[in-house]
């Protein structure tokens, strides 16, 4: 089994830190608590991220990078149900793979910290951009997108102990339904993850 890359290790650390920040807030999360959650020493963690605030900023930046990459992947697609489904599927994958980042995106981290609030607003704008929703989108579209995003993230977090191959199609169907599109939920999700025929 290949050793994880520095980027993979950093993403694991940031996902764990993000989950703690979302649950307790940045002010009430110590570097030691993050170190304990990740299995690193406090010194080792501070070598990678010099402060708790740097951890929080890196977690928000990583979340934004994922969303911007997702938005770029669908930018050429015309607005409509097919684009919405593609975005929902990619968000479901992100929520299942990185539940901490998802929790951080949903939280009101640091309530009164202006820089974090600005970054969370930037995240919301990037998500709406992925769905081709302009800032002045009609109220119905805004409500449907907000319900879709909040429901998808909350359900993914609630089901994080379930097998992703069972949960993903249900998340996508529910989130797509919240957008007002016909849901393509499977009647019975597969019992086992699909295997590659080449194996």
């Amino acid at each position: 089994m290949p050793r994880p890359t520095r980027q993979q290790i950093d993403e694991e650390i940031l996902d764990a830190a993000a989950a703690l920040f979302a649950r307790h807030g940045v002010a009430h999360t110590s570097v030691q608590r993050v170190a304990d959650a990740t299995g690193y020493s406090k010194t080792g963690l501070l070598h990678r991220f010099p402060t708790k605030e740097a951890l929080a900023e890196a977690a928000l930046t990583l979340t934004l990078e994922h969303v911007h990459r997702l938005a770029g992947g669908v930018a050429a697609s015309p607005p409509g149900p097919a684009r919405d489904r593609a975005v929902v599927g990619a968000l479901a994958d992100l929520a299942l793979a990185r539940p901490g980042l998802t929790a951080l995106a949903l939280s009101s981290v640091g309530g009164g910290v202006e820089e974090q609030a600005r970054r969370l607003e930037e995240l919301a704008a990037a998500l709406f951009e992925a769905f081709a929703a302009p800032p002045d989108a009609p109220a119905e579209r805004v409500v449907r997108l907000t319900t879709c995003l909040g429901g998808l993230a909350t359900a993914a977090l609630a089901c994080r102990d379930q097998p992703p191959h069972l949960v993903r199609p249900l998340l996508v169907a529910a989130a797509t339904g919240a957008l007002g599109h016909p849901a393509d939920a499977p009647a019975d999700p597969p019992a086992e993850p699909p295997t590659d025929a080449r194996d």
Side-chain angles (χ1 to χ4, degrees), residues 74-170:
V74 296
S77 301
R83 178 176 174 148
D84 285 355
R85 282 187 186 90
V87 174
V88 165
L91 287 173
D93 291 338
L94 177 61
L96 290 168
R98 298 284 179 226
L101 297 180
T102 302
L104 182 63
L106 282 178
S107 72
S108 56
V109 176
V113 180
E114 187 175 317
E115 179 61 17
Q116 289 171 341
R118 185 189 66 74
R119 296 303 301 271
L120 289 171
E121 286 176 12
E122 186 181 345
L123 176 59
L127 285 166
F128 272 54
E129 176 189 331
F131 283 102
D136 61 346
E140 180 182 355
R141 179 73 167 157
V142 171
V143 169
R144 286 185 177 279
L145 281 172
T146 304
T147 302
C148 165
L149 295 169
L152 175 71
T154 303
L157 289 168
C159 297
R160 68 180 170 261
D161 295 330
Q162 300 295 318
H165 72 282
L166 296 179
V167 173
R168 185 189 186 278
L170 301 172

Side-chain angles (χ1 to χ4, degrees), residues 32-126:
Q32 185 61 58
R33 182 180 248 174
V34 175
D36 292 344
T38 59
Y40 282 86
S41 68
K42 182 177 175 181
T43 304
L45 195 61
L46 289 171
H47 179 70
R48 289 177 178 277
F49 303 97
T51 65
K52 175 174 54 173
E53 290 73 21
L55 269 167
E57 175 61 22
L60 278 169
T61 297
L62 180 60
T63 305
L64 275 164
E65 287 171 4
H66 280 292
V67 172
H68 283 304
R69 201 167 26 249
L70 183 156
V74 296
S77 301
R83 178 176 174 148
D84 285 355
R85 282 187 186 90
V87 174
V88 165
L91 287 173
D93 291 338
L94 177 61
L96 290 168
R98 298 284 179 226
L101 297 180
T102 302
L104 182 63
L106 282 178
S107 72
S108 56
V109 176
V113 180
E114 187 175 317
E115 179 61 17
Q116 289 171 341
R118 185 189 66 74
R119 296 303 301 271
L120 289 171
E121 286 176 12
E122 186 181 345
L123 176 59

